[in-house]
Amino acid sequence: MENLTSLIHLFVTIFLSGFANFMGVPAITDVTMLALCPGQDECSLAIYLTGFQQAIIGLGAMIITPLIGNLSDEYGRKALLTLPMAVSIIPLAILAYSMETNFFYAYFVIRTLTAMASEGSINCLALAYVADKIPDENRASAFGILGGVASAAFVCGTLAARFLSTTSTFQVSAFMSILAAVYMRIFLKESLPNGDDIRQPILKGEQHVIRSDSDLENTRKVFKRIPSVGDLIFLTKNSVPFSQAALVSFFNSLAEGGLLASLLYFLKARFHFNKNQYADLLLILGVAGTISQLLFMPMLAPIIGEEKLLTIGLLMGCANMFVNSIAWSAWVPYATPVFSIFTVLVQPSIRSIASKQVGPNEQGKAQGCISGISSFANIISPLMFSPLTALFLSEGAPFNFPGFSIMCAGFTMMIAFIQSIMIKGVPSSHKTGNNHSLEA
């Protein structure tokens, strides 16, 4: 509990930021459909455009997130957290001002660019911050609590969207996003993994100016620390559990991206869902996820370990996708959140496994690498699942199976499940004595 009290301001920051960003989720499908295909329940252009955006964001995040995570090992978590939280305000402010077609396209472009820096980076830095403060044996539970706070933000944001008009939703969302950034800058304390051998935060320290050969050498050392593909290969070769966790993360993200690209449009075409029904469904999912991560994760992780929790979560994720793919009535999507009680434990388990394989000065790099792998999956996912979704929701489908793309996502998650069975934990004492430094 003493360690958790040091994370209170981080939890508040993540809650406010999540609240702001999750508010727009139930409404954005209707906003997109209205801008691109007004008066229609099925729109291939909206599906393809959303998939394209997801792929571009994934490409940018794959490069930027590991960079931000690694630089946070050098300059501190708070300093690097400022960038993604600040840029995430801009697209919300655009829709808060107007949702006309021209403004929607402006939102689309700006959101695509800013999400490269914010999508995954906030979570990556928050996880590294927690790893700085919490010892190995309690880290899985702490990651679960962090995920629970994010789920609580999801619930509250979705609940607010349920009772607000679409215009008011984005206005409140923009305000909360600004509040989150201001709160973080005022109250959150900086976290430096190694205060004796680390530079001051970028926003507070003086910038390096190349005035001599020694200054040039210092600058080269800074850029030498920027993560590369070689860093990722080094991590995966020197830690089997890390490489297995990375592989599970890839296929899990690939499957979740397929579900994200398909489910809302599937429900729109199949059962004519609207903003309020999306909000109700997401609210149920959020409540289940919050309870699971705040209560079950801290209780179960010390008893059965994050490896088994990961396997159980992936199995339930497969079941969730298979049932949704054959949904025969509008009530079925409201029943499947029972699976999410276990599915939400997947990400905290992966992050905990990865965190335990590296030293305290490499937490940002390790979490950034996992985030980068997830982002790479997010590039591939819409390229695979968006065309499938559009095809099987259209009149020209080769056979009548509207949920075929969701079932394919379920089979993809099955690969992650099979791989997770092979993960074996590494004792903390072993890792302490064999710290694989990426700085060498």
Side-chain angles (χ1 to χ4, degrees):
M1 289 301 296
E2 184 179 348
N3 288 329
L4 287 176
T5 55
S6 64
L7 301 176
I8 289 176
H9 291 307
L10 175 69
F11 290 156
V12 174
T13 298
I14 295 302
F15 178 85
L16 293 175
S17 176
F19 182 89
N21 287 289
F22 289 134
M23 277 189 72
V25 173
I28 195 62
T29 301
D30 284 348
V31 172
T32 303
M33 296 283 288
L34 184 63
L36 301 178
C37 305
Q40 299 182 29
D41 284 335
E42 190 278 322
C43 180
S44 295
L45 176 60
I47 297 172
Y48 281 119
L49 204 58
T50 302
F52 171 78
Q53 183 186 50
Q54 186 180 340
I56 296 299
I57 290 173
L59 178 62
M62 181 181 68
I63 299 170
I64 295 174
T65 303
L67 172 61
I68 290 177
N70 186 54
L71 291 178
S72 74
D73 288 336
E74 299 293 325
Y75 299 103
R77 317 301 183 197
K78 178 179 176 179
L80 272 297
L81 191 57
T82 303
L83 173 64
M85 293 193 68
V87 299
S88 64
I89 298 171
I90 303 172
L92 296 174
I94 293 174
L95 287 185
Y97 180 77
S98 176
M99 287 181 291
E100 295 179 359
T101 302
N102 290 338
F103 285 92
F104 170 80
Y105 282 117
Y107 159 83
F108 181 86
V109 173
I110 299 298
R111 157 72 179 159
T112 303
L113 296 175
T114 57
M116 292 180 185
S118 60
E119 193 101 339
S121 294
I122 295 176
N123 187 49
C124 166
L125 294 171
L127 289 164
Y129 193 103
V130 171
D132 292 342
K133 306 292 185 181
I134 304 296
D136 280 5
E137 59 270 17
N138 298 323
R139 202 166 286 165
S141 298
F143 285 167
I145 293 172
L146 177 65
V149 171
S151 295
F154 180 83
V155 170
C156 295
T158 304
L159 189 62
R162 179 67 176 82
F163 296 104
L164 291 173
S165 67
T166 302
T167 302
S168 299
T169 294
F170 287 102
Q171 291 172 346
V172 175
S173 178
F175 171 77
M176 293 300 292
S177 185
I178 295 170
L179 180 63
V182 172
Y183 181 93
M184 183 272 297
R185 289 303 303 171
I186 295 175
F187 294 106
L188 186 66
K189 293 182 179 179
E190 184 60 274
S191 176
L192 300 173
N194 184 354
D196 295 331
D197 186 29
I198 206 165
R199 291 177 178 79
Q200 292 297 314
I202 293 173
L203 297 180
K204 293 183 179 179
E206 294 182 359
Q207 305 298 321
H208 289 290
V209 180
I210 301 177
R211 296 176 180 174
S212 65
D213 292 340
S214 62
D215 289 333
L216 180 59
E217 183 64 25
N218 288 337
T219 302
R220 285 173 178 167
K221 288 181 180 179
V222 171
F223 282 96
K224 189 176 180 180
R225 294 186 180 99
I226 293 176
S228 64
V229 176
D231 291 332
L232 179 57
I233 294 174
F234 185 90
L235 267 174
T236 54
K237 286 176 64 177
N238 285 273
S239 174
V240 174
F242 187 93
S243 63
Q244 292 172 324
L247 194 59
V248 170
S249 180
F250 173 79
F251 284 106
N252 177 65
S253 297
L254 192 65
E256 287 186 339
L259 186 66
L260 179 66
S262 308
L263 184 60
L264 296 184
Y265 291 106
F266 166 75
L267 296 176
K268 183 81 172 177
R270 186 83 168 82
F271 304 116
H272 310 290
F273 271 36
N274 57 31
K275 177 181 80 72
N276 291 337
Q277 289 167 309
Y278 289 144
D280 292 338
L281 177 59
L282 294 174
L283 186 60
I284 296 171
L285 287 167
V287 170
T290 302
I291 295 173
S292 178
Q293 292 180 99
L294 290 179
L295 296 180
F296 296 156
M297 186 79 180
M299 288 191 299
L300 295 177
I303 299 173
I304 66 175
E306 51 265 48
E307 293 85 6
K308 291 182 180 179
L309 282 178
L310 175 61
T311 300
I312 295 170
L314 289 168
L315 180 61
M316 293 298 103
C318 295
N320 175 47
M321 293 183 184
F322 291 146
V323 173
N324 271 310
S325 69
I326 59 172
W328 57 92
S329 178
W331 63 264
V332 174
Y334 292 105
T336 54
V338 67
F339 296 112
S340 69
I341 293 175
F342 299 97
T343 303
V344 294
L345 304 181
V346 169
Q347 278 301 322
S349 298
I350 291 174
R351 299 296 185 151
S352 179
I353 293 169
S355 176
K356 291 181 178 181
Q357 309 310 310
V358 298
N361 297 330
E362 298 163 349
Q363 291 296 326
K365 182 173 291 185
Q367 298 298 340
C369 285
I370 294 293
S371 295
I373 290 168
S374 296
S375 297
F376 179 62
N378 289 334
I379 300 172
I380 302 172
S381 182
L383 301 179
M384 293 172 53
F385 293 104
S386 291
L388 271 179
T389 303
L391 176 62
F392 280 88
L393 291 181
S394 69
E395 295 180 356
F399 50 90
N400 185 25
F401 193 170
F404 181 74
S405 59
I406 300 176
M407 178 163 282
C408 290
F411 284 120
T412 304
M413 185 164 283
M414 183 66 73
I415 299 174
F417 164 72
I418 294 171
Q419 179 62 41
S420 72
I421 299 174
M422 305 175 190
I423 296 179
K424 305 297 180 185
V426 178
S428 297
S429 59
H430 172 76
K431 298 193 294 292
T432 302
N434 186 22
N435 181 19
H436 304 298
S437 176
L438 299 182
E439 302 296 336

